[in-house]
Amino acid sequence: MAVSQRLMVLSQSKQLHSRYVPPRTTPQWPVSTAARNANCSPRVVDLAVSKKLHPNFEAARPVPAEVPLSARTARPTPRLRILAVPVPRHAECKLVEFQKSKLYEDKRISVSNCTTYTKQEMLAIRKSLHSRTSHQIQQPVTKPHLNIKIPPRLVELSTPLSRKMIKDIYNPFQVIPTAKYAVASERLSELAKPKTHHLYSSLC
């Protein structure tokens, strides 16, 4: 069999690239003479200067701030004294006489001035217990219930279903008897044959 020119080219070993650089023998990278004798431009010198703080920058003060003597001995002005007085807030509730509830007649005036409605009075009443809460937990069974006859249908429905576990009856290696004596058809025998692959050899 003759070898083609393409196979001869592919059989040759791969050559290194012309710009391939082998690994260095030392981690120290040599600095060139031009880099050692270079002069920095004004822009590089300007960028090399550390950044300065803003002229209005204030450093963080300590937590217990010291009160100056002038603030401790200062005297407030009359205007400042007036502004320091809290604003009086009066809560007024104007109600009609018939709207007042009889439940608050003996209370203070501030409480009796509040308005109460029929719905609020109804909701204020505590919730009573249910009528069946006084029954005992164990109640006696009546005589008709003791002598009752259960119908067959009810007995059938009350019987639990028998469930068999699949893992107990399933055998993955068991072959069905009909499969042991089965005869394959001509079509099935034809499909069971392996596919033939034709190999073509190219002659050069």
Side-chain angles (χ1 to χ4, degrees), residues 41-98:
S41 61
R43 177 60 177 168
V44 175
V45 176
D46 188 15
L47 294 174
V49 178
S50 60
K51 189 176 181 180
K52 298 180 180 180
L53 297 176
H54 195 270
N56 297 332
F57 172 77
E58 295 182 1
R61 295 184 300 175
V63 177
E66 184 180 358
V67 182
L69 182 62
S70 58
R72 286 180 286 178
T73 58
R75 293 183 179 181
T77 59
R79 177 59 179 169
L80 191 59
R81 292 179 181 272
I82 295 175
L83 295 175
V85 176
V87 179
R89 302 181 184 276
H90 303 284
E92 298 180 357
C93 184
K94 298 181 180 180
L95 302 176
V96 186
E97 189 65 26
F98 69 90

Side-chain angles (χ1 to χ4, degrees), residues 15-154:
Q15 298 179 359
L16 297 176
H17 197 270
S18 58
R19 300 181 61 182
Y20 171 75
V21 179
R24 295 181 295 169
T25 57
T26 174
Q28 296 180 357
W29 191 271
V31 183
S32 60
T33 307
R36 285 181 288 180
N37 300 330
N39 296 326
C40 298
S41 61
R43 177 60 177 168
V44 175
V45 176
D46 188 15
L47 294 174
V49 178
S50 60
K51 189 176 181 180
K52 298 180 180 180
L53 297 176
H54 195 270
N56 297 332
F57 172 77
E58 295 182 1
R61 295 184 300 175
V63 177
E66 184 180 358
V67 182
L69 182 62
S70 58
R72 286 180 286 178
T73 58
R75 293 183 179 181
T77 59
R79 177 59 179 169
L80 191 59
R81 292 179 181 272
I82 295 175
L83 295 175
V85 176
V87 179
R89 302 181 184 276
H90 303 284
E92 298 180 357
C93 184
K94 298 181 180 180
L95 302 176
V96 186
E97 189 65 26
F98 69 90
Q99 292 180 344
K100 296 182 180 180
S101 176
K102 296 181 180 180
L103 298 175
Y104 302 101
E105 290 180 357
D106 299 335
K107 302 295 181 179
R108 296 182 303 174
I109 300 176
S110 59
V111 178
S112 60
N113 290 337
C114 297
T115 306
T116 55
Y117 301 96
T118 308
K119 181 64 175 179
Q120 292 179 348
E121 294 179 359
M122 184 176 61
L123 293 174
I125 301 174
R126 65 181 184 87
K127 189 175 181 181
S128 59
L129 298 177
H130 198 270
S131 58
R132 299 181 60 182
T133 53
S134 60
H135 292 181
Q136 298 180 1
I137 298 177
Q138 296 182 358
Q139 298 183 5
V141 183
T142 59
K143 188 175 182 180
H145 288 86
L146 294 174
N147 301 330
I148 192 173
K149 294 183 179 180
I150 304 175
R153 178 57 179 167
L154 189 59

